[in-house]
Amino acid sequence: MSGARTSSGRAGAGESAPRRQSRSLVALGYTKPQTYEELRAVLSSGTVHFPKRLRQVAIFLWQHPSDVALGTIAQVADQAGVQPSTLVRFAQVFGYAGFSDFQTLFKDHMKGSWPEGRQKGSQEPAKEPNASLHFLAGMVGASQASLSRIGSGFDTDRFETMIDLLAGAELIYVIGSKRAFPVTTYVSLTLSQQGVRNVLVDNVGSTAFDQVGCISQRDAVLAVSFSPYNSITPDLVAVAHERGAHIVTITDSTFSPLVKLSDAWLEVVEQDFAGFRSLAASLAVGMALVHGVVARRAG
């Protein structure tokens, strides 16, 4: 399904972007999404531009469809960091009367889908002996859920493209900060251990822009970034993009600012537990890329 407009485009002319987006997209000439897949197609089309709060909702819905399917409006709003009325407004943008009708898209999608969705509907797990073991069990479950998503929706073609671009580079710059930094640090270390020349852009002494100062079109960037995308990473990748370097990205949604700068990107969504997010899937994909690069160069 395409998210492109079918109307003349005059509807809403002269209005500000937030005001236009508060109106139904159906009224503006879009087709009302009937399935979760159609909703994702609209969101990833790049034709819909949300104001800040609705964008926050869109990112959460993209990353956590099982939570949206199984939660109450109050629970989903709390997890997304918005008011329940914002969820209603988001649903109305897509032509739905309210959130409960809109939520049906996610419930239908979850039937027989991700294992974490089925587990949430099962009986309560046995209580752990203490709070620390309960947290450990929760983090293990979050890691397992994150890893299971790779198997269910992994884009093999993009993965192979990323390997080709990295393997053909003279020098690989590895960029990531904040929560993504453990991933990039381990990727850089493993590349070095395998004899692959790389630069870890670690921003020590606020020198990140100096560290990418010599990047050229013969080089490649492996960038890792997760929402809320408020790190230095997009600015560093933009420098590399301007200089013609190949850019491959691990990120968690189509709303990442790195997507439009990348030659190829993979979506890796990490599950969280009690406000702590797993890195298991991102590390697994990072190690697989290193293995692929080494194998490609050896071949």
Side-chain angles (χ1 to χ4, degrees), residues 180-203:
F181 190 65
V183 179
T184 55
T185 301
Y186 192 36
V187 167
S188 176
L189 170 64
T190 311
L191 285 170
S192 297
Q193 290 175 334
Q194 296 298 318
V196 179
R197 295 179 63 244
N198 72 94
V199 174
L200 173 64
V201 181
D202 54 18
N203 198 29

Side-chain angles (χ1 to χ4, degrees), residues 4-28:
R5 296 185 183 182
T6 57
S7 64
S8 64
R10 294 183 61 84
E15 300 177 12
S16 65
R19 180 175 178 81
R20 287 198 304 272
Q21 289 304 321
S22 67
R23 299 174 57 184
S24 168
L25 292 178
V26 174
L28 295 176

Side-chain angles (χ1 to χ4, degrees), residues 38-58:
E38 290 183 358
L39 174 65
R40 278 180 66 99
V42 173
L43 293 177
S44 63
S45 66
T47 61
V48 183
H49 303 284
F50 297 105
K52 181 178 179 180
R53 287 303 180 192
L54 295 188
R55 178 181 172 84
Q56 187 173 333
V57 170

Side-chain angles (χ1 to χ4, degrees), residues 167 291-299:
H291 177 271
V293 169
V294 172
R296 194 67 47 88
R297 288 190 171 188

